[in-house]
Amino acid sequence: MSYVLGIDGGGSKTVCVLTDDLYQVLGHGEAGPSNYQSIGIEATLQSIQSAIHNAVEAAIITNTVNIDAICLGLAGVGRAADIEVVKRLVQELQNKKCMPINWVLQPGNIIICNDALIALVGGVGQPVGIVVAAGTGSIVFGQNHQGDTKRVGGWGYILGDEGSAYKIAIAGMNAALKSDDGREMSTSLVEAFKQHLDLESIEDLIEVVYRRELGVKQIAALAPVVDFAAASGDIVANIIIDDAVKELVKATSTVMDAIFTADSVLEVVTTGSVWQGRCKIHERFTASLVKKFPNVNVIFPRYEPAYGAGLLALQTTQN
């Protein structure tokens, strides 16, 4: 029986699944972050090794596990130089003797890719379609039947990430301050941010954002304030949500136009915290996209990204 490893490595955690050739997940393991560009190679190696160890241990397999293929879908891996770094990392993994694993990998059975691809494969269940990820950041990625790919966005909170939780939160705070200035229409966001952050005045946002030096994830975590205001009927908040939808639809349409035809039948999977809001952002996005592309089916993920990595690894053993 063939056993493969699928690994989803991000900035907050690493997830590994051990899968057999019947597509069954036998073991699931988690560990710390594995974005080597932010934490370094050694820490990344440790996280991946721990996640693999935990997955194999959870499988409760008495014999040594022969690993025939591995797919690593890692955040921040997109350039040829990144792939070479991760190849060396995989070689170091195989040299480790502390796990009950027998590595029987061939070069063709090692897949190294970015986390957008495994999110697509896991979300749809196959490597064809489009994934629209809108969480702390945002990115749209697609692949067609010919293997052509197209990525839009994913440029980070300074250069891009339109439609992300971060950009929604920033727009909400900006609107609240403009409303307090009298530059824009009144909005419940003023009181909403005051209450959520326990502020005496909306001007205290200065102290919260600048002096406390909130990070990207902490600011993105304020997006639900805007979402709740929009769900409650606030006009300004709804404009912000509509703008986010427009950006995500534009990015998805760009991918569609690049690698699919207008009448293509395919699935678009939506992942990330933004889609879980109360203001029906998922429904707004779906209605707008389907209006342009009637044969598109917008779905939530069927499987997790790590399982998508496992599916990609399994494909290499069946060719």
Side-chain angles (χ1 to χ4, degrees):
M1 178 172 286
S2 294
Y3 294 102
V4 305
L5 294 172
I7 295 172
D8 172 24
S12 58
K13 67 178 179 179
T14 302
V15 179
C16 175
V17 296
L18 173 67
T19 308
D20 64 17
D21 54 11
L22 299 177
Y23 298 91
Q24 300 178 102
V25 174
L26 304 178
H28 188 283
E30 295 189 10
S34 54
N35 185 335
Y36 86 88
Q37 301 196 50
S38 59
I39 67 171
I41 292 295
E42 286 305 315
T44 296
L45 178 62
Q46 180 60 47
S47 291
I48 293 175
Q49 181 181 330
S50 296
I52 293 173
H53 181 275
N54 293 339
V56 173
E57 192 173 66
I60 317 179
I61 299 175
T62 55
N63 300 322
T64 299
V65 178
N66 293 322
I67 299 299
D68 297 290
I70 185 172
C71 174
L72 301 97
L74 306 180
V77 173
R79 303 169 303 164
D82 299 321
I83 293 175
E84 289 303 315
V85 169
V86 181
K87 280 183 179 178
R88 292 193 293 272
L89 186 150
V90 173
Q91 186 59 54
E92 287 190 53
L93 273 176
Q94 294 178 74
N95 294 334
K96 298 286 184 179
K97 303 300 181 183
C98 57
M99 293 188 289
I101 287 178
N102 180 34
W103 298 97
V104 287
L105 297 176
Q106 299 297 321
N109 300 122
I110 301 172
I111 297 179
I112 299 166
C113 59
N114 62 55
D115 52 352
L117 176 58
I118 64 170
L120 167 62
V121 178
V124 176
Q126 63 171 338
V128 175
I130 297 174
V131 58
V132 185
T136 298
S138 67
I139 187 172
V140 180
F141 176 86
Q143 180 165 279
N144 62 20
H145 286 283
Q146 291 73 43
D148 302 318
T149 63
K150 175 64 177 178
R151 158 192 161 160
V152 174
W155 304 120
Y157 73 101
I158 293 177
L159 300 177
D161 282 352
E162 295 84 2
S164 68
Y166 178 86
K167 285 299 172 71
I168 289 172
I170 288 292
M173 289 187 285
N174 186 254
L177 292 170
K178 285 183 176 180
S179 175
D180 189 64
D181 281 346
R183 286 185 283 165
E184 300 288 351
M185 70 175 72
S186 61
T187 171
S188 64
L189 288 171
V190 175
E191 291 301 319
F193 278 112
K194 284 171 60 178
Q195 182 176 348
H196 184 80
L197 295 169
D198 194 23
L199 309 176
E200 290 187 9
S201 167
I202 194 64
E203 294 177 6
D204 293 335
L205 272 176
I206 294 174
E207 191 273 333
V208 171
V209 174
Y210 293 114
R211 295 176 192 167
R212 296 185 199 174
E213 297 181 344
L214 292 188
V216 175
K217 291 183 179 179
Q218 293 165 306
I219 290 177
L222 297 175
V225 175
V226 182
D227 168 64
F228 186 80
S232 300
D234 185 87
I235 295 175
V236 173
N238 273 290
I239 291 173
I240 292 170
I241 296 300
D242 283 338
D243 286 344
V245 169
K246 288 176 184 176
E247 290 291 347
L248 293 169
V249 169
K250 183 188 297 184
T252 308
S253 298
T254 301
V255 173
M256 281 289 299
D257 293 339
I259 60 174
F260 296 101
T261 60
D263 58 352
S264 293
V265 178
L266 72 148
E267 292 184 318
V268 173
V269 59
T270 51
T271 70
S273 60
V274 166
W275 304 111
Q276 306 303 322
R278 305 182 186 185
C279 69
K280 298 184 177 180
I281 188 170
H282 192 267
E283 289 87 340
R284 300 187 200 194
F285 172 82
T286 300
S288 182
L289 188 66
V290 171
K291 188 175 181 180
K292 296 185 67 175
F293 305 101
N295 294 323
V296 161
N297 183 29
V298 182
I299 64 170
F300 284 109
R302 291 193 173 92
Y303 310 104
E304 64 178 319
Y307 185 70
L311 292 179
L312 288 171
L314 276 171
Q315 284 185 352
T316 69
T317 67
Q318 298 167 355
N319 292 336

